[in-house]
Amino acid sequence: MTPRPASSPIDTSRPHPARVYDYLLGGKDNYPVDQELGAQMPPVAKAGVAQNRAFMHRAVGWAARTGIDQFLDIGTGIPTRPNLHQIAQEINPAARIVYTDNDPIVLRHAEALLISTPEGATDYLDADVREPGRILDHARALLDFDRPIALSLIALMHFVPDADDPYGITRTLVDALPSGSCLVLSHFTSDFLSAAQDKTEEYRTSGISLRPRTRAEVARFFDGLDLVGPGLVTAPQWCKDTPAPESDGATDSFHVGVARVLR
């Protein structure tokens, strides 16, 4: 499938979360305004986003190995190999993936997200997570909502302020999933950061709405779901059928979890 042309020009006058994330991962698809904000981040920030990305790899691989072959990834970000579909389709070439993001630069790179195996399929939607109904309507054209789907909300909901009801948005998305599906979620936290390491105000001053949440607050995203082991933990601590990465805890900045939808 081919993404539609970008509906709005790329705004290079202010940083964007996807581009700052790309900078912190060492990517090249960012602008001076993103680099300026990223350069203010302490070393723990770069380590944290790398740990978060590695968690996504492990969680998606685990979901695919359990038999889930459909994925709805919201807040996709700028493509960084391996992308979610490459992980899933390496395990099951017939896997089908719908990507969603709201940054024009991500849309311009969407072709990289659409290179599927012949057996599988990928699609891309330019939309905001605050439009869950629109996202679900689009996803139904490619995904079978009578069979399990993995919903991926990776490093996304901390950009949704309380006023926009992040829990209600997540509930709307999860409620549309059939039994046997799962929610894969990671969320930035300042629980383990010192005052010097916590750059929340720098993000907010730049125009990015950043809302770190505590472990208890992140746990609310999983209300009514069945958390799989090891439960709600920091990114380096989550592993199932792959070795746990080494971590001394000094760079932990994400709470993560995977939970099953049981009806």
Side-chain angles (χ1 to χ4, degrees):
M1 299 184 182
T2 303
R4 62 181 174 83
S7 57
S8 58
I10 296 172
D11 183 358
T12 61
S13 68
R14 55 190 295 177
H16 188 281
R19 302 195 307 258
V20 176
Y21 190 87
D22 176 73
Y23 170 82
L24 292 172
L25 280 175
K28 305 298 182 183
D29 295 303
N30 47 74
Y31 294 91
V33 66
D34 309 300
Q35 298 160 15
E36 181 180 352
L37 178 58
Q40 297 179 50
M41 300 300 107
V44 65
K46 289 188 176 182
V49 297
Q51 291 172 351
N52 176 69
R53 185 78 182 174
F55 158 71
M56 185 275 282
H57 293 172
R58 296 193 302 276
V60 169
W62 172 81
R65 282 187 285 272
T66 65
I68 294 179
D69 61 359
Q70 303 187 105
F71 296 81
L72 175 55
D73 180 50
I74 305 176
T76 298
I78 295 168
T80 303
R81 291 179 64 92
N83 298 307
L84 187 150
H85 74 279
Q86 292 164 328
I87 297 167
Q89 290 182 342
E90 182 177 359
I91 296 166
N92 183 347
R96 303 169 76 84
I97 296 90
V98 172
Y99 289 112
T100 302
D101 207 294
N102 70 334
D103 183 9
I105 196 172
V106 180
L107 178 57
R108 292 189 182 186
H109 286 274
E111 288 83 358
L113 299 170
L114 298 173
I115 303 175
S116 172
T117 58
E119 303 94 330
T122 61
D123 192 14
Y124 180 87
L125 173 66
D126 179 24
D128 192 289
V129 69
R130 284 167 276 242
E131 307 172 277
R134 179 174 171 233
I135 292 171
L136 291 168
D137 287 345
H138 183 93
R140 288 188 177 95
L142 184 71
L143 306 181
D144 179 358
F145 277 70
D146 290 327
R147 298 194 303 106
I149 296 169
L151 169 63
S152 171
L153 301 177
I154 298 293
L156 174 63
M157 301 310 288
H158 47 251
F159 296 119
V160 181
D162 295 340
D164 287 340
D165 191 15
Y167 300 112
I169 291 169
T170 304
R171 178 53 52 194
T172 297
L173 293 165
V174 170
D175 283 350
L177 304 178
S179 185
S181 298
C182 68
L183 169 63
V184 180
L185 180 143
S186 68
H187 196 295
F188 175 68
T189 183
S190 56
D191 285 357
F192 311 104
L193 303 181
S194 67
Q197 291 173 323
D198 187 356
K199 300 297 181 178
T200 300
E201 287 309 312
E202 281 80 352
Y203 265 83
R204 291 173 176 168
T205 300
S206 76
I208 296 175
S209 177
L210 181 63
R211 170 66 161 89
R213 293 186 170 93
T214 65
R215 186 182 187 279
E217 289 174 317
V218 176
R220 287 185 56 194
F221 288 104
F222 297 99
D223 283 354
L225 304 178
D226 181 31
L227 272 167
V228 303
L232 182 59
V233 294
T234 61
Q237 294 175 319
W238 199 97
C239 62
K240 297 295 290 182
D241 47 10
T242 54
E246 294 185 6
S247 173
D248 59 5
T251 56
D252 291 346
S253 54
F254 283 85
H255 290 304
V256 307
V258 178
R260 298 182 188 274
V261 177
L262 302 176
R263 305 295 186 202

